[in-house]
Amino acid sequence: MIDLAIKLDFFYLVLGLVSIVNIIGFSIVGADKYKAKKNLWRIPEKTFFLIAVFGGAIGVYAGMLFFRHKTRHWYFMFGIPAILVTEAIIAFLLLKNS
């Protein structure tokens, strides 16, 4: 019983952290789109990929589609979904084995 409670606490902690990272990912895409329109200092492209790798791929990809930003770059249109699929496979395997 205690083991299940610890697993659930860990699951909700990870779910919360991933949610926060996705909100940040979505937000930085919107911020970069705004900066691009205003000709301001831009967010480096590697930042988008780092956030995606750390669990924010859904947020970054949703932001790209919502704000129509970075959608002409093939490495974003294929790279971010590839990271997302990889993260989904890893999550499935971790949940399956627990």
Side-chain angles (χ1 to χ4, degrees), residues 71-87:
T71 55
R72 292 187 178 186
H73 301 280
W74 67 267
Y75 46 92
F76 275 95
M77 290 306 293
F78 291 105
I80 300 297
I83 293 169
L84 174 59
V85 168
T86 304
E87 289 175 348

Side-chain angles (χ1 to χ4, degrees), residues 38-97:
K38 299 293 182 180
N39 205 20
L40 299 172
W41 174 83
R42 303 285 299 281
I43 297 169
E45 290 183 345
K46 66 181 176 183
T47 304
F48 295 102
F49 284 100
L50 284 173
I51 289 174
V53 166
F54 288 116
I58 293 173
V60 171
Y61 192 64
M64 286 171 48
L65 297 178
F66 182 81
F67 296 109
R68 295 183 182 158
H69 189 53
K70 301 287 187 190
T71 55
R72 292 187 178 186
H73 301 280
W74 67 267
Y75 46 92
F76 275 95
M77 290 306 293
F78 291 105
I80 300 297
I83 293 169
L84 174 59
V85 168
T86 304
E87 289 175 348
I89 291 169
I90 291 169
F92 173 76
L93 293 174
L94 288 175
L95 289 173
K96 181 182 170 189
N97 292 332

